[in-house]
Amino acid sequence: MTKILLQTTLSLLALLLVGCTSKAERTFYDKNITNQTIPCMKLAVTPPDKQMAQTMRQLYRFTQSCPYTLTLSYKSGIVCNSHYNAQTKALGKMPNSYMNLELRRGFKLLYSYYIDLDHTPGSDDIETGFAQMREDLKLEE
């Protein structure tokens, strides 16, 4: 009986911990993108931000003449006035920012990493997102 109670308690604790973490959404628009090597990327930061661009350039050597474009987009200070979110707002964990990394070849979207944040995106968020992207795709140095 105590073994079942302990297993149940551990399972509930694991569910609570997983439920409290913010998860990024990764989307593979081109299913073959994981099977090919991305030889290079050029960088676009929207809206332009020198600090974010500098963080990205420390993580990867971008080239302007590449057909692949990695776009880092973000927004902070988002306010949601919908009454449907009243309970979430009351608990104090309503996201007010997001960060998105999108890989395109020309106009074709290949891959996306998106995360809602409860703080202004910073270098730690960029590093985490790019590390996940490196794990998901074969990026040449």
Side-chain angles (χ1 to χ4, degrees), residues 20-38:
C20 293
T21 60
S22 61
K23 277 198 113 171
E25 295 177 27
R26 298 165 13 242
T27 307
F28 298 85
Y29 294 97
D30 180 345
K31 302 303 178 201
N32 295 321
I33 193 71
T34 58
N35 298 327
Q36 63 189 49
T37 300
I38 308 299

Side-chain angles (χ1 to χ4, degrees), residues 97-125:
S97 301
Y98 74 83
M99 184 186 80
N100 192 19
L101 293 170
E102 289 184 342
L103 180 65
R104 295 177 184 271
R105 181 175 178 127
F107 291 112
K108 184 179 179 188
L109 182 57
L110 305 171
Y111 171 87
S112 174
Y113 170 94
Y114 175 91
I115 189 163
D116 284 321
L117 302 167
D118 60 2
H119 57 275
T120 301
S123 58
D124 289 345
D125 302 304

Side-chain angles (χ1 to χ4, degrees), residues 1-99:
M1 181 70 166
T2 44
K3 185 177 181 181
I4 294 171
L5 183 61
L6 179 63
Q7 286 177 338
T8 305
T9 304
L10 289 174
S11 296
L12 287 173
L13 182 60
L15 280 174
L16 285 172
L17 290 175
V18 169
C20 293
T21 60
S22 61
K23 277 198 113 171
E25 295 177 27
R26 298 165 13 242
T27 307
F28 298 85
Y29 294 97
D30 180 345
K31 302 303 178 201
N32 295 321
I33 193 71
T34 58
N35 298 327
Q36 63 189 49
T37 300
I38 308 299
C40 59
M41 294 185 292
K42 61 183 166 187
L43 178 64
V45 179
T46 306
D49 183 285
K50 287 181 183 180
Q51 185 66 37
M52 289 187 167
Q54 181 181 8
T55 300
M56 287 300 296
R57 286 191 179 98
Q58 290 172 351
L59 299 172
Y60 188 83
R61 190 176 349 161
F62 294 93
T63 43
Q64 280 304 112
S65 60
C66 185
Y68 292 92
T69 302
L70 178 62
T71 303
L72 166 62
S73 59
Y74 66 95
K75 184 165 183 161
S76 56
I78 300 170
V79 178
C80 181
N81 294 323
S82 172
H83 64 280
Y84 293 108
N85 296 320
Q87 184 178 11
T88 308
K89 284 183 195 178
L91 296 174
K93 279 297 183 187
M94 186 75 179
N96 63 7
S97 301
Y98 74 83
M99 184 186 80

